[in-house]
Amino acid sequence: MARSYPLKKYRNIGIIAHIDAGKTTVSERVLFYTGISHKIGEVHEGAAIMDWMEQERERGITITSAATTCFWTPIRHTRLAQTDDDRMKLKGEYEHRINIIDTPGHVDFTAEVERSLRVLDGGVTVFDGVAGVEPQSETVWHQADKYAVPRICFINKMDRMGASFEKSFASILERLTPYAVAVQLPIGAEENFTGVIDLLELKAFSFEGDHGEKVVEIEIPADLKDQAQKMHSELVEKIVEHNEALMNKYLGGETVSVDELRATLRVATIANKLIPVFCGSALHNKGVQLMLDGVIDYLPSPLDINESKPIKGTNPATGEEIVRQPDDAQPLTAVAFKIATDPFVGNLTYFRVYSGVIKKGSYILNATKNNQERIGRIVRMHANHREDVDEMYAGDLGAIVGLKNTTTGDTLCNPESPIILESITFPEPVINLRIEPKTKNDQEKLGLALKRLSDEDPTFRVTGNADTGETIIWGMGELHLEILVDRMKREFNVEANVGRPQVSYKETIRKDADGEGKYIRQSGGKGQYGHAKIKVHPLEKGKGFVFVNQIKGGVIPQEFINPIEKGIKEAMEKGIVAGYPMTDCEVTLYDGSYHEVDSSEAAFKIAGSMAFQSAAKAANPVLLEPIMKVQVIAPQDYLGDVTGDISSKRGRIESLDDRGMMKVVDSFVPLSEMFGYATKLRSMTQGRGSFTMEFAHYEEVPKNIEQQIIEGKK
Ligand code: GDP
């Protein structure tokens, strides 16, 4: 076996959009057209298309797969082919493999978006041609900025009443990036939207056939000729700026060829210096194929992306840095980026190979967890079927069936050449709720459901309380938990009483203090003796827990040190102020004593626990609450109400900006004040305001509020 596509003919991309912009429809059309493209030439063209569509109707296209593979040859190469033979030859030369990585649209799933951004090399951002840039488009855009993902834009829904390419394009320039360049111009608008003009080649196209599958070159309509010419010149000027030789040619009055322009636009797009903007209507089958050409022409292959973002990791044994090349001959480096459950094959671990080859039947090392597993089966996901394969190569995306101990973000590698790639860091879950299964049977189903769901989603955590039999689940937001609870009920048939979402508070200390714990029982039989003296010291935010052992000369025997630390950790789980977990605290064990006969691990554990409690009490313990970064966008008329409301929520307004006709309010607000905000904002702004929210940091709770929390009033 060998690879069938060279790496430079790979495009690993995500279709990025917020809910309702048309991501599903665009993805469906992409899979539809690429399905046709793959079949053309294999059998008689017409029959192949029909056949494929029958299958599509029967089985439905799988667009829920975390990574779907498809194939595309740019239209400009195949369009002019007269015979199947010609077409086959052209495909051999120009066909590319596109892997589409699913990205979720809802901002509550920030972590999901981020992990998909980690494994893709480029993105297609979809916008609604009526609304242009919406608040949530900004959130996903900034996330992609964070990972410097090269992008092209697709302004969708050009057929809708009120759609405007000009306005949508202007909103991208104004609100997202000054680097956007229009590479197309729509022909007609709303119900008269019929095709697009390619501004690079200055050619016009319409989309014919029942499903727009035939891309036909037409005359540029007379009324658009001047505008197209003008926009073409602007585009050329923007492109040549990125290449000195072309710039000189251009300024010298020589003609710059379309191929040269395309190549320079590609380099600039990959460097995040230009962002080509396309348009169309996915629903009405217009423009999707040319956007796919854009994916091939402008988005990076794994080789391109390696130049700006090399594959770096560390050797888990030595800590030394390792750099790998996107090359089959290098040792295997892969990342598990999603765990899913498939009704037919069971547990699927989606991975991306960065270097080397992954082989069925071989053993791989999960370097993050330090265990080895055998790969029983590897599958590649296509639009309408699953393909079993023996091997996958650098740049490939696929899924392993039946891995047991791998979770999202783990690095998979060759046992002889261990490496851990920078792992995906997930924000902390800031909200939790209690679940109480109705019957014993439900209890069992709940256990299974929780295991599955937390394997799939690393931002979802589960803790139990052995004393009360209570289960608590933790997540990123109200909606996140709501959806998880809904899945538990629907997919796993768990009947349960579900509590109200609660804020995940924490505790910490504010000054140094000493503490002593003595646990002595000496009445008859074998006694108990444990004794520890500790100092506590507040640490910087985010440092967690640090334990320092300063015991010398066997004042406490070595075997009792660990139990003391354990006791301290246990005490930290239930803080002094209101029973919330303690964090950011250093504990130094410096003295104590023991008894030859009566000392035991259990006694020292209790002593450690007691010492911590006494020290923490004296160390000015405080309550911490999660603070959210909240952005509200609303018309000017409602600005006073919105900011007044934020202030009344103990919010801190950071900035006020204008965005077109709207006002943007950036602020920090305690999570506990944000419950039900979606409804409140809607009624406050008559439905015209919108907001986004993400976790920022923990902050000390003011004393008056702390009292309310302790008394359970908040
Ligand atoms: P998603 O939430 O981003 O996945 O969006 P969908 O693909 O589900 O589309 C949201 C709605 O917009 C659906 O009702 C689609 O039929 C509709 N839609 C998608 N693309 C177009 C388009 O090109 N034109 C029009 N008029 N509607 C579209």
Side-chain angles (χ1 to χ4, degrees):
M1 283 276 290
R3 64 160 60 242
S4 40
Y5 291 79
L7 256 184
K8 70 177 199 316
K9 289 193 181 170
Y10 272 58
R11 298 292 179 272
N12 290 331
I13 61 152
I15 298 178
I16 307 171
H18 73 83
I19 280 170
D20 234 31
K23 194 181 81 180
T24 310
T25 316
V26 171
S27 311
E28 247 168 31
R29 294 304 187 270
V30 165
L31 295 179
F32 175 69
Y33 295 122
T34 56
I36 293 178
S37 139
H38 194 48
K39 287 279 161 76
I40 288 175
E42 284 174 16
V43 248
H44 175 64
E45 183 179 338
I49 294 171
M50 287 311 297
D51 184 38
W52 205 86
M53 286 182 53
E54 285 303 318
Q55 284 181 15
E56 179 214 2
R57 222 170 282 133
E58 271 168 33
R59 307 211 275 199
I61 288 179
T62 316
I63 51 162
T64 49
S65 168
T68 311
T69 224
C70 58
F71 307 90
W72 187 247
T73 311
I75 291 281
R76 68 169 180 283
H77 297 303
T78 49
R79 202 164 43 85
L80 302 173
Q82 296 297 325
T83 64
D84 281 358
D85 267 1
D86 278 2
R87 215 169 269 127
M88 282 297 275
K89 270 194 215 117
L90 288 163
K91 273 162 59 96
E93 202 168 331
Y94 297 109
E95 188 168 76
H96 287 66
R97 160 171 263 144
I98 303 178
N99 292 310
I100 302 178
I101 294 126
D102 185 44
T103 61
H106 203 285
V107 285
D108 235 39
F109 308 120
T110 318
E112 283 253 358
V113 180
E114 299 216 353
R115 76 164 159 228
S116 47
L117 290 175
R118 266 283 302 259
V119 296
L120 51 80
D121 296 329
V124 177
T125 318
V126 179
F127 299 92
D128 178 327
V130 180
V133 175
E134 293 168 85
Q136 294 199 353
S137 344
E138 290 185 68
T139 312
V140 282
W141 187 269
H142 295 317
Q143 278 168 339
D145 276 347
K146 189 165 126 191
Y147 292 91
V149 175
R151 266 152 284 176
I152 63 174
C153 296
F154 183 69
I155 302 179
N156 187 32
K157 304 198 189 184
M158 288 310 301
D159 60 291
R160 267 186 70 192
M161 180 120 92
S164 161
F165 180 77
E166 228 179 336
K167 277 196 199 139
S168 299
F169 180 64
S171 73
I172 294 174
L173 275 182
E174 185 192 332
R175 291 165 58 170
L176 301 181
T177 169
Y179 303 132
V181 280
V183 294
Q184 288 185 339
L185 183 64
I187 301 172
E190 302 179 346
E191 73 223 36
N192 296 319
F193 170 62
T194 53
V196 297
I197 299 173
D198 175 338
L199 293 171
L200 197 67
E201 297 209 42
L202 272 181
K203 285 184 177 160
F205 297 98
S206 72
F207 305 91
E208 289 165 22
D210 287 349
H211 298 270
E213 64 274 9
K214 294 203 177 74
V215 182
V216 179
E217 188 179 345
I218 54 172
E219 277 277 312
I220 296 181
D223 60 333
L224 287 175
K225 274 207 168 111
D226 289 349
Q227 192 187 353
Q229 186 60 53
K230 184 168 154 271
M231 289 178 78
H232 168 74
S233 307
E234 285 168 8
L235 175 62
V236 173
E237 275 167 28
K238 287 225 166 103
I239 294 174
V240 297
E241 265 177 34
H242 296 274
N243 181 321
E244 219 180 298
L246 280 200
M247 178 68 120
N248 290 335
K249 240 177 150 176
Y250 178 74
L251 292 178
E254 284 179 63
T255 36
V256 183
S257 75
V258 168
D259 285 344
E260 285 171 314
L261 288 170
R262 195 180 283 120
T264 301
L265 179 52
R266 172 175 180 78
V267 172
T269 306
I270 293 171
N272 274 301
K273 295 204 170 109
L274 285 177
I275 296 175
V277 180
F278 296 75
C279 65
S281 161
L283 190 66
H284 292 267
N285 306 316
K286 291 185 172 71
V288 174
Q289 299 102 316
L290 297 180
M291 179 272 282
L292 274 171
D293 284 10
V295 168
I296 308 289
D297 290 340
Y298 306 123
L299 292 181
S301 75
L303 291 175
D304 299 313
I305 209 74
N306 189 51
E307 314 247 310
S308 50
K309 289 187 259 183
I311 309 156
K312 275 193 196 149
T314 48
N315 179 325
T318 62
E320 109 203 66
E321 187 181 277
I322 304 175
V323 179
R324 297 255 161 100
Q325 299 304 317
D327 182 343
D328 301 341
Q330 292 251 313
L332 171 68
T333 312
V335 162
F337 66 94
K338 186 167 175 93
I339 314 292
T341 315
D342 181 283
F344 299 104
V345 295
N347 184 33
L348 287 177
T349 304
Y350 282 90
F351 60 88
R352 169 172 176 168
V353 183
Y354 284 91
S355 68
V357 182
I358 194 164
K359 289 189 177 136
K360 182 172 135 180
S362 70
Y363 278 88
I364 46 160
L365 172 70
N366 176 335
T368 315
K369 300 247 158 48
N370 195 23
N371 60 30
Q372 290 200 24
E373 288 198 69
R374 187 176 172 275
I375 300 185
R377 199 175 157 198
I378 304 176
V379 291
R380 194 195 297 279
M381 301 297 199
H382 295 262
N384 55 355
H385 71 286
R386 213 184 285 115
E387 174 195 8
D388 272 272
V389 295
D390 292 333
E391 301 184 338
M392 279 206 177
Y393 309 94
D396 275 331
L397 287 107
I400 303 171
V401 179
L403 273 196
K404 287 194 186 62
N405 298 313
T406 297
T407 47
T408 300
D410 291 355
T411 305
L412 308 175
C413 60
N414 186 327
E416 279 85 57
S417 313
I419 180 172
I420 299 186
L421 294 182
E422 189 196 340
S423 83
I424 310 176
T425 50
F426 296 107
E428 296 186 58
V430 286
I431 201 161
N432 64 74
L433 55 76
R434 274 160 226 280
I435 297 191
E436 197 192 315
K438 287 195 173 144
T439 65
K440 188 103 191 103
N441 187 19
D442 287 318
Q443 173 90 47
E444 272 160 31
K445 283 194 279 187
L446 179 70
L448 189 75
L450 293 176
K451 162 117 187 33
R452 278 274 176 78
L453 294 172
S454 55
D455 276 353
E456 283 179 25
D457 178 354
T459 60
F460 170 56
R461 291 192 206 150
V462 183
T463 54
N465 183 333
D467 300 340
T468 59
E470 213 172 46
T471 299
I472 302 171
I473 61 171
W474 307 70
M476 306 299 307
E478 264 177 295
L479 184 69
H480 185 205
L481 289 185
E482 221 171 81
I483 289 176
L484 287 162
V485 167
D486 183 59
R487 285 189 61 190
M488 258 173 244
K489 291 185 173 164
R490 270 187 312 114
E491 287 173 34
F492 299 91
N493 298 317
V494 180
E495 296 263 345
N497 295 320
V498 176
R500 283 199 331 153
Q502 308 278 332
V503 174
S504 305
Y505 294 103
K506 285 188 182 179
E507 299 185 14
T508 191
I509 53 168
R510 282 291 182 242
K511 60 176 199 191
D512 290 0
D514 259 48
E516 181 170 1
K518 234 181 199 168
Y519 183 67
I520 304 175
R521 294 279 176 280
Q522 281 166 328
S523 51
K526 184 179 180 320
Q528 294 282 356
Y529 189 102
H531 178 207
K533 286 184 173 182
I534 61 166
K535 287 183 202 307
V536 295
H537 170 68
L539 291 178
E540 248 173 84
K541 239 184 230 174
K543 293 279 181 231
F545 168 62
V546 175
F547 180 72
V548 183
N549 174 18
Q550 281 183 354
I551 294 296
K552 290 198 187 78
V555 177
I556 300 174
Q558 188 58 34
E559 74 256 36
F560 298 132
I561 305 292
N562 258 341
I564 294 176
E565 184 179 347
K566 252 195 212 147
I568 294 170
K569 275 195 187 149
E570 256 173 39
M572 284 182 69
E573 276 167 28
K574 267 194 163 320
I576 294 293
V577 183
Y580 292 102
M582 276 248 169
T583 185
D584 303 336
C585 174
E586 181 184 86
V587 179
T588 307
L589 172 65
Y590 70 95
D591 200 5
S593 61
Y594 75 105
H595 186 279
E596 282 294 348
V597 184
D598 292 345
S599 277
S600 68
E601 291 194 0
F604 273 100
K605 199 170 138 196
I606 297 174
S609 218
M610 289 164 68
F612 182 80
Q613 280 173 1
S614 78
K617 263 189 203 129
N620 186 14
V622 294
L623 202 59
L624 301 174
E625 63 180 341
I627 304 292
M628 310 303 280
K629 190 166 182 276
V630 178
Q631 183 176 71
V632 184
I633 302 185
Q636 165 80 42
D637 291 355
Y638 305 104
L639 186 65
D641 289 348
V642 168
T643 54
D645 181 60
I646 289 176
S647 303
S648 77
K649 292 182 178 316
R650 301 190 281 128
R652 211 166 50 231
I653 292 172
E654 292 290 297
S655 66
L656 285 179
D657 288 306
D658 288 304
R659 189 171 296 156
M661 314 299 288
M662 307 290 260
K663 289 280 174 191
V664 182
V665 184
D666 281 301
S667 62
F668 289 102
V669 186
L671 174 64
S672 62
E673 307 281 345
M674 289 300 293
F675 285 98
Y677 188 63
T679 319
K680 174 132 196 228
L681 181 67
R682 211 176 300 131
S683 70
M684 207 160 43
T685 60
Q686 306 196 339
R688 299 190 50 208
S690 61
F691 80 107
T692 56
M693 157 166 112
E694 63 185 270
F695 170 70
H697 55 259
Y698 273 89
E699 251 175 49
E700 196 171 323
V701 178
K703 281 292 165 210
N704 58 328
I705 307 280
E706 184 178 291
Q707 199 49 41
Q708 292 178 24
I709 295 168
I710 295 170
E711 289 166 11
K713 290 186 189 144
K714 254 199 152 5

